[in-house]
Amino acid sequence: MLHQLSWMVGGQQGEGIDPTGSILSKALNRQGYFIYGYRHFSSRIKGGHSNYKVRISTKPRLSNADALDMLVAFDQETIDLNARELKPGGLILGDSKFKPSVDRNDVQLLHIPLTEIAEELGSRIMKNMVAIGATTAILGIDPSIFTDMIKKQFARKGDKIVQANLEAIRKGAESAKEQLNPKTDFTLAPADGKSRLLMMGNDAISLGAMAAGCRVMPAYPITPASDIMESLVKRLPEIGGVVLQTEDEIAAVITAIGASYAGARAMTATSGPGLSLMMEAIGLSGMTETPLVIVDTQRGGPSTGLPTKNEQSDLNTVLYGSHGEIPRIVLAPSTAEECFYDTVHAFNYAEQYQCPVILMTDLALSLALQTVEQLDYSQVKISRGKLLSDEEVAALTDENGYFPRYADSPDGISPRAMPGQKGGIHYVTGVEHNEIGRPLEGTANREKMMKKRMRKLENVQLPNSLITREKDDAEWLIVGFGSTRGPIEEAREQLAADGIPTSHLHIRVLAPFPTQSVKDVLSRYERVLVVENNATGQLAAQLRQYVGDISTIYSQTKFNGDPYYPSEITEHVKELMAHGNSQRLSYVR
C-alpha cells in the first residue's frame, strides 16, 4: 500500500490532457489526499507533446516526484519521451489503438482500449474518462468519487452525456482490472478525508486581490499570468469591480496607475516581456508616489523564450528595472497559500509606502495545482496608509488653496488626498516637482524630494521576510526563493535520511532586502548553497551584494524549463561535500 504515488498522462496538446489531470486531482483532493499537479505544455494552441503530472500523497508535497509510478499514454511519443522517468516496476497504460510498445523490461505495459471504449460510448474525446477509470481501478479507488464532479461538469450537456462519461470511467476500470498482474500493488493508503482547497498560485492571487479590495484590473493576456485576468473577469464584476483588456501592457499599467490615483485599489498582471514594457510606468508610479501593484509571473526568457516553461530569471529586472532611482517593494511567495496572503500585503504596502509593489511568482508556482488548507479571511486586514479625511485635507491646504500632496516628512511618506476632495488641489506629473506637485528642477528641490522618496524604505524590514528551518548540527544552509521551496524541503528530507542534516532559508521579501536578518542566518553556516531557476545565479549575487563574505556561497542553477526535482539538489550537495573546496568546481565562489 502506497502513501504517495506519481502519475502522468501524456499525449498531443488539445487531446484533453489538462482536463484528465485536473479531474483526477480534484477528485482525490476531495478524498483528503495532498495533490501537486504540474502541467508540461507546448506554446502551440494544438499539437505538440503535452503531459500532466499528478503527485498524490498522504502528506503535503510541493514538487514533482523524482520518478513516476504510473504513465498513461495517449500516443507512442508519450512513452518514447517519458517512460525513462518510470521507477523499476512502474506501470504504463497505453491506448491499444496505437499498439504501444516500450523498450524497458523492468516496467509493465497494459494495452487499454481507451479510444475504442470512448468511441463505443459516442465520442473518442471520452478516452480521458476511460483513462481515469483505469487509473482508479489500479489505485484501489472507488470510481463513484467522480460521480458528483461529472454530473456538475457536464450537466449543461444533458443526462446522456453525463451517463456516457460515467460509463467510460466504469469500463476503463473493468479493462484495467482484467489485465493487471495480480501481484502488482499500486493501492493507495487511505487519506484523512479532511476538506482542503485545491488551487494554483494564480487562483490564490485572484482571491487575494478581491479580498484586498481590488476593484480595477487592466491587463493584457500573457502566459503564465493570464489565469489571473481570466479568473477576475468572472468574479470582479460581481463585487462591483472591472477587468479591462487593454491594447498592450503599457496601457494596462498606466490605466492601473490612473485608477489608483483616483482612489481605487488596482493591479495588473503580466510576465517577463510584458514587465519590460511597463518599466517607464513603474518609474512614473515611483515619481508620482502613486500606489501600484504588479504581478510578474516569471517564465523562460529572454524574448519569447520558453513561454510555457518555468524560470526565475526576472529577478534582476524586478529589482533594478526602470530608469532612475525609486523605492520599490518586491514580494516572492513560495506557496499558493502565501500567494493569497501576500497579494493582500502587496495592496497594503503599495498604499502605506505609496510606491510600486511587485508580487513575483514563477510558472511552477503560478500554474501548479496545490492542496491548500482553508484560507483564513480573518487575517485579511486592509490598510490604506496616510489617506486623509476632508477635514484633514482642509487643515493642510495653504493660503493659495493648494494641498501639499508631496509634503516632506520624517518617514518620506506624505499624507494623501483623492481627486475631488475639497481643498485637495495639487499637481501631479512625472517631472521632478515640489511639495504641491508643481514642476521644479532646482538642485536643492531635487535633492530634497529625492531624499524624501528614498527615505520611505530606509531601514525598513517588512514582516515575514524569511522562512527559516534550521538544524543545530547542520553544516549546509540551502537558500532559495519562490517555487524552489518544495524541492528544497524534500531534498533536505532525503539528505537527512542519509545522515546529512541541512538547514533552509527561503527569502520572501527581496526588496527592501532583509539584509541583517539574512546576514544573521548566514553567519551561522560555513557553507551556503543557493538554488534557483536561472543561468547566472541572480539570487546568489544578491546574497554576495548584501551580506559580503560571511560564508562560502555556492550556486546551483537550472534553466532548462523544468522546475527542480528534489534529487537534483540532494545530489548536488553530496557532490559539493565530496569535492570540498576544489577549485575544479565551476560553481565555487
Side-chain angles (χ1 to χ4, degrees), residues 253-396:
V253 69
I254 292 292
T255 304
I257 291 173
S260 180
Y261 176 75
R265 283 199 153 185
M267 67 177 284
T268 187
T270 189
S271 187
L275 185 71
S276 297
L277 292 174
M278 295 180 181
M279 286 300 154
E280 183 178 356
I282 292 173
L284 177 66
S285 167
M287 175 61 100
T288 61
E289 305 187 43
T290 306
L292 173 65
V293 175
I294 299 174
V295 179
D296 175 43
T297 53
Q298 299 171 96
R299 68 186 204 184
S303 185
T304 307
L306 298 170
T308 60
K309 304 296 184 293
N310 188 53
E311 203 163 275
Q312 296 179 311
S313 53
D314 288 352
L315 178 56
N316 286 338
T317 304
V318 165
L319 292 175
Y320 304 113
S322 191
H323 50 287
E325 297 165 305
I326 57 167
R328 72 182 73 187
I329 293 171
V330 177
L331 307 180
S334 61
T335 65
E337 194 171 5
E338 288 179 4
C339 284
F340 173 80
Y341 295 110
D342 281 2
T343 302
V344 177
H345 297 323
F347 280 96
N348 286 343
Y349 293 152
E351 292 201 307
Q352 289 168 352
Y353 294 97
Q354 298 176 19
C355 70
V357 178
I358 300 175
L359 185 73
M360 184 173 63
T361 66
D362 50 54
L363 183 142
L365 175 57
S366 297
L367 298 186
L369 275 177
Q370 299 178 18
T371 297
V372 176
E373 297 294 343
Q374 298 295 331
L375 299 173
D376 182 4
Y377 281 79
S378 70
Q379 291 188 36
V380 175
K381 310 293 182 188
I382 305 297
S383 171
R384 304 214 61 179
K386 295 183 178 180
L387 196 58
L388 300 180
S389 65
D390 290 350
E391 293 75 19
E392 291 170 323
V393 170
L396 292 172

Side-chain angles (χ1 to χ4, degrees), residues 148-204:
D148 289 343
M149 188 182 303
I150 297 298
K151 286 181 177 177
K152 184 175 180 181
Q153 182 157 339
F154 297 105
R156 63 184 175 84
K157 295 185 178 180
D159 186 62
K160 185 177 179 181
I161 298 297
V162 170
Q163 294 305 319
N165 278 275
L166 292 174
E167 184 67 2
I169 291 175
R170 189 186 66 78
K171 289 199 168 187
E174 286 180 354
S175 179
K177 286 178 182 175
E178 290 170 359
Q179 298 186 50
L180 186 65
N181 184 332
K183 295 182 179 178
T184 303
D185 186 8
F186 286 92
T187 307
L188 274 178
D192 63 10
K194 185 178 176 182
S195 175
R196 300 182 181 89
L197 304 173
L198 182 68
M199 64 176 64
M200 305 184 298
N202 280 346
D203 297 328

Side-chain angles (χ1 to χ4, degrees), residues 4 36 44 47 158 185 258 274 307 369 461 549 552 556:
Q4 69 169 18
Y36 183 83
R44 285 177 276 179
D185 186 8
L369 275 177
Q461 177 168 323
D549 294 328
T552 300
Q556 181 176 6

